[in-house]
Amino acid sequence: LSADDRYIVLHTGARLKFSRWPHYIELARLILARTDSKVVLMADDGDYRAALPPDLMDSPRFQLIDRRLSFDQFDALLSFCAGFVGNDSGPKHLAALRGAPVVSLHLARNNWSEWGQENEGFVISRRAPCAGCSIHYEPEECGKDFACIVNVRPEEVYQTLTRAMSGG
């Protein structure tokens, strides 16, 4: 990335593996197809590199970061991004505090109005009859296959990101 690049960070990680939104690859494709922004996909496990299709890996506007950055590098990456999409995680909170337009994806297990982020931004989840389940350590307790996050579609996230980036 150079100082003049407009880029969007997609952060796939979260402390609870079952709380990770599974559609970041599709979202990256939408962003690349519909904007002139670069996409930085941050993954904290090696699964993404193997799963990435060649059209993404070959794009000069796509970058995968699947290693730990220094805090200064990470902070700068979030501070200067044009937009940020991530799970309910610490990096999402840091991006919001740094002023990035943030879209965060949350399970419906917690009150996301309370646990959203500082400043502006959007939280996306699905209100399911089981919302507020408070599942924390036993993912097999979810009898709905985490529909509250899995059923959030990439198009909805893209539209919300577009709205967040336009100040809306």
Side-chain angles (χ1 to χ4, degrees):
L1 295 172
S2 68
D4 296 330
D5 285 337
R6 179 177 170 84
Y7 62 93
I8 297 167
V9 173
L10 307 181
H11 185 271
T12 67
R15 183 173 49 91
L16 301 172
K17 193 165 190 160
F18 61 83
S19 69
R20 297 175 184 173
W21 185 60
H23 306 295
Y24 283 101
I25 291 172
E26 294 91 343
L27 179 60
R29 282 181 160 151
L30 284 174
I31 294 167
L32 291 173
R34 297 180 184 177
T35 75
D36 60 355
S37 295
K38 290 186 175 185
V39 172
V40 177
L41 181 79
M42 300 190 74
D44 59 356
D45 56 41
D47 296 341
Y48 267 89
R49 185 169 298 276
L52 286 172
D55 63 307
L56 280 182
M57 290 302 286
D58 294 342
S59 173
R61 293 178 31 233
F62 179 82
Q63 183 172 359
L64 172 66
I65 299 176
D66 58 355
R67 60 182 171 77
R68 185 174 293 259
L69 299 176
S70 72
F71 179 78
D72 288 343
Q73 291 171 323
F74 188 58
D75 187 37
L77 187 69
L78 300 184
S79 295
F80 296 105
C81 68
F84 177 94
V85 177
N87 301 306
D88 183 16
S89 65
K92 178 262 309 204
H93 290 286
L94 180 59
L97 286 171
R98 293 298 190 219
V102 171
V103 176
S104 59
L105 299 141
H106 289 234
L107 292 170
R109 67 188 182 91
N110 291 329
N111 178 353
W112 49 259
S113 296
E114 179 181 348
W115 293 100
Q117 60 259 355
E118 298 293 324
N119 299 326
E120 302 289 322
F122 295 92
V123 174
I124 300 177
S125 184
R126 285 288 164 268
R127 292 241 185 242
C130 51
C133 65
S134 297
I135 292 174
H136 194 74
Y137 296 110
E138 305 295 335
E140 61 276 358
E141 289 180 6
C142 180
K144 304 289 183 192
D145 295 324
F146 296 102
C148 58
I149 196 162
V150 171
N151 290 343
V152 175
R153 305 307 324 148
E155 180 65 36
E156 177 183 2
V157 177
Y158 174 79
Q159 292 298 328
T160 305
L161 176 63
T162 300
R163 185 173 163 204
M165 289 171 49
S166 69

